[in-house]
Structure formats: structure tokens, C-alpha cells
């Protein structure tokens, strides 16, 4: 599987996160009919490079997880649970993806009135599993 599929599977399998979002995790953009709370993730960069011997077998994707909820407390709870579920460990799956903290910032969508927390994590995984 890809690091994306392994990450989604790990988030959906985490009981504390699933208690809040169910299965509402989306790649790149949430559907217009998605109800909060939910998570959207997107790859900001893949961090791959080449060596003198050719392409490396490991990539380092920078991934942004956008957590959305109807209250500030709700979104803080969601991002805290998400971080505990996937940060600092190797996730189950063939990609061997693991994430470390890079950045976190707050957001507010004035159109939908949702509160957001944007969690940027740097991954490390097998390049052959992208």
C-alpha cells in the first residue's frame, strides 16, 4: 500500500479519532456536503532526492492534516487525538511511514464558520510504496 493508504487506515482504526470523525478523512479536499468534524490531508512536498547511485529508496513527504470542527475546543481535541494516533511511530502497512512534528497553526473558515487546526507532519517512508 501507499503511505497515504497506510495513514488513512491508521487514522480510521484509531478509536479516539474515530469516536470524533467516524470515517470522515479526505484526500486534498472535503466534499461540499461533508459535515464537521472531519480531517483533510494533502501532501505539501515529497522531499525525494537522488544520490550519486540513483534514486533514494526513502522519501520524506511533508503532509498537512487540516482538522475541522464547529467549536474551537472540538478542533483542539481532534488535532490532539490525531497527533497521538500517528506522530512518532511507524504506522502499520508496507510503506513503513512514520511522522514527526513540523508545524501547527489555527484557521477559521468564515464562510462555513468552522474552526480549523492545521498540523504539518514530516513523514519518512519507502519510496517504492508511493
Amino acid at each position: 500500500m501507499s503511505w497515504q493508504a497506510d495513514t488513512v487506515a491508521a487514522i480510521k482504526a484509531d478509536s479516539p479519532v474515530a469516536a470524533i470523525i467516524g470515517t470522515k478523512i479526505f484526500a486534498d479536499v472535503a466534499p461540499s456536503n461533508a459535515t464537521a468534524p472531519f480531517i483533510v490531508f494533502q501532501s505539501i512536498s515529497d522531499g525525494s532526492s537522488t544520490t550519486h547511485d540513483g534514486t533514494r529508496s526513502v522519501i520524506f513527504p511533508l503532509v498537512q492534516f487540516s482538522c475541522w470542527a464547529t467549536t474551537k475546543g472540538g478542533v483542539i481535541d481532534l488535532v490532539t487525538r490525531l497527533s497521538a494516533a500517528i506522530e512518532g511511530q511507524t504506522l502499520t502497512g508496507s510503506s513503513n511511514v512514520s511522522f514527526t512534528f513540523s508545524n501547527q497553526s489555527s484557521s477559521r473558515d468564515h464562510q462555513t464558520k468552522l474552526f480549523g487546526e492545521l498540523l504539518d507532519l514530516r513523514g519518512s517512508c519507502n519510496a517504492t510504496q508511493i
Side-chain angles (χ1 to χ4, degrees), residues 73-129:
V75 78
I76 294 296
D77 186 32
L78 176 55
V79 77
T80 300
R81 290 179 190 214
L82 173 64
S83 180
I86 64 172
E87 190 179 339
Q89 57 191 314
T90 301
L91 303 182
T92 302
S94 60
S95 68
N96 290 319
V97 66
S98 61
F99 290 104
T100 57
F101 181 81
S102 180
N103 191 43
Q104 184 173 337
S105 59
S106 296
S107 183
R108 180 84 197 268
D109 187 304
H110 296 287
Q111 185 176 10
T112 64
K113 307 294 187 215
L114 295 178
F115 292 87
E117 284 293 318
L118 312 178
L119 178 64
D120 297 343
L121 299 177
R122 175 65 69 183
S124 173
C125 64
N126 296 330
T128 58
Q129 300 296 320

